[in-house]
Amino acid sequence: MQRRSRGINTGLILLLSQIFHVGISNIPPVTLAILILNIWFFLNPLKPLFESCLSVEKCYQQKDWQRLLLSPLHHADDWHLYFNMASMLWKGINLERRLGSRWFAYVIVTFSLLTGVVYLFLEFALAEFMNEPGFRRNCAVGFSGVLFALKVLNNHYCPGGFANILGFPVPNRFACWAELVAIHFISPGTSFAGHLAGILVGLMYTHGPLKKIMKKCAGIFSSSMHYYGHQYHFNSSGYSRYPEYYPYGQPGYSEDISRNYDAYTAGLSEEEQLERALRASLWDREADLCF
């Protein structure tokens, strides 16, 4: 695995610009903490990438299980960090305000660990069935597996919309699979098994037993816990509007909502928001980017 460049971290600068453009006060607390944590570990890695990446050989055979915790928080370079955290920014805003901060934090921790475990299982299975020991040495790093799991959740809550994948409209229920193929068509060096693991974990939550298991294990947590600052309705096109929400359980009280998130989402889907942000930030390199 290559070392990250020590030059100007353009991707990091763009990420910080994106965060300040949205406004720190507009980002829910868990989402903001994840962004800060990943930026911190990019600037101050606990270990070199080769000692923090996730592989069957290192984790299972050499019992280095701490990599399950380290791998999602480390990135290969500034552009890897930028694309992952820009995606996390919009997914976090949508999902944390829908699920609530405490439950969203629980989801992130669970998905981070479980995505790594499923990734190890996939690589081990490939090595065994294809009789190719090289799969045991494949070493993955980054938050993208968790993001694919969150993508499944986001699409689950917005089932009727469309995502723009390489210029083609794809129904939300198929968007994760289309994006999985598209990413590896554009960047063959990315971890197919890592991204697939994220999709499988997301499906385990939305269509499998994972959510029920999490509820039983959580104790004090519940999926009915909400982040009561601002709540949203979602329709087929993503963000729509504030619902009629009464903080004291009756219409006699009103909530003073001081922020209008249309100011920065403009009603766009996540993919459209990311594309617009990239083009605005990299207008002089637009011809070199492929969405």
Side-chain angles (χ1 to χ4, degrees), residues 148 151 154-156 158-183 199 235-238 269-272 275 291:
F148 266 88
K151 181 80 170 178
N154 205 41
N155 292 342
H156 175 72
C158 309
F162 287 83
N164 185 0
I165 307 295
L166 296 180
F168 297 97
V170 178
N172 273 349
R173 64 180 182 274
F174 302 126
C176 290
W177 301 104
E179 189 173 336
L180 176 68
V181 175
I183 286 178
I199 293 177
N235 59 18
S236 60
S237 61
S269 68
E270 177 192 334
E271 289 77 13
E272 291 168 334
E275 182 173 353
F291 294 95

Side-chain angles (χ1 to χ4, degrees), residues 6-285:
R6 293 295 182 180
I8 298 176
N9 292 317
T10 308
L12 177 58
I13 294 173
L14 289 176
L15 174 60
L16 293 174
S17 174
Q18 188 77 11
I19 292 172
F20 284 109
H21 173 72
V22 170
I24 292 179
S25 61
N26 294 332
I27 303 174
V30 175
T31 300
L32 182 61
I34 293 169
L35 296 174
I36 293 173
L37 195 62
N38 277 270
I39 292 172
W40 173 263
F41 281 119
F42 175 77
L43 296 174
N44 304 278
L46 289 178
K47 291 187 176 183
L49 288 178
F50 190 73
E51 296 181 18
S52 58
C53 63
L54 196 62
S55 72
V56 175
E57 181 180 68
K58 299 297 183 181
C59 289
Y60 179 70
Q61 295 177 229
Q62 299 182 15
K63 310 301 181 185
D64 190 4
W65 295 108
Q66 64 177 333
R67 291 172 182 257
L68 284 171
L69 300 174
L70 296 176
S71 177
L73 299 175
H74 290 74
H75 290 82
D77 55 41
D78 57 322
W79 288 109
H80 189 202
L81 175 74
Y82 172 73
F83 284 110
N84 277 355
M85 291 300 103
S87 180
M88 178 63 211
L89 176 62
W90 301 111
K91 288 181 175 69
I93 288 174
N94 287 338
L95 290 173
E96 183 171 348
R97 297 190 186 282
R98 171 179 285 274
L99 300 176
S101 292
R102 284 179 287 184
W103 186 262
F104 184 66
Y106 186 29
V107 165
I108 290 293
V109 173
T110 303
F111 281 12
S112 297
L113 294 174
L114 196 54
T115 297
V117 172
V118 174
Y119 166 76
L120 293 175
F121 174 79
L122 291 175
E123 292 286 10
F124 180 81
L126 286 171
E128 291 296 313
F129 287 119
M130 299 182 67
N131 195 26
E132 176 53 64
F135 286 110
R136 293 190 179 94
R137 294 189 292 272
N138 285 346
C139 217
V141 68
F143 206 72
S144 54
V146 180
L147 292 173
F148 266 88
L150 296 179
K151 181 80 170 178
V152 172
L153 264 66
N154 205 41
N155 292 342
H156 175 72
Y157 294 125
C158 309
F162 287 83
N164 185 0
I165 307 295
L166 296 180
F168 297 97
V170 178
N172 273 349
R173 64 180 182 274
F174 302 126
C176 290
W177 301 104
E179 189 173 336
L180 176 68
V181 175
I183 286 178
H184 295 280
F185 176 77
I186 297 172
S187 303
T190 54
S191 174
F192 183 88
H195 295 164
L196 177 59
I199 293 177
L200 295 178
V201 169
L203 291 174
M204 289 168 60
Y205 183 92
T206 57
H207 295 90
L210 180 57
K211 186 176 181 180
K212 292 181 180 180
I213 295 173
M214 288 174 63
K215 285 183 178 181
K216 290 182 179 180
C217 295
I220 62 172
F221 293 135
S222 171
S223 62
S224 62
M225 292 180 179
H226 294 290
Y227 178 82
Y228 287 116
H230 303 283
Q231 297 185 0
Y232 303 88
H233 277 315
F234 288 78
N235 59 18
S236 60
S237 61
Y239 172 90
S240 59
R241 61 182 176 83
Y242 291 100
E244 294 181 0
Y245 166 63
Y246 306 112
Y248 297 97
Q250 53 183 319
Y253 295 87
S254 62
E255 182 182 19
D256 180 18
I257 299 175
S258 59
R259 302 187 187 98
N260 179 10
Y261 289 89
D262 273 333
Y264 63 86
T265 64
L268 300 175
S269 68
E270 177 192 334
E271 289 77 13
E272 291 168 334
Q273 292 163 16
L274 288 175
E275 182 173 353
R276 177 170 292 188
L278 282 170
R279 290 191 177 187
S281 300
L282 298 173
W283 61 271
D284 56 338
R285 298 178 55 189

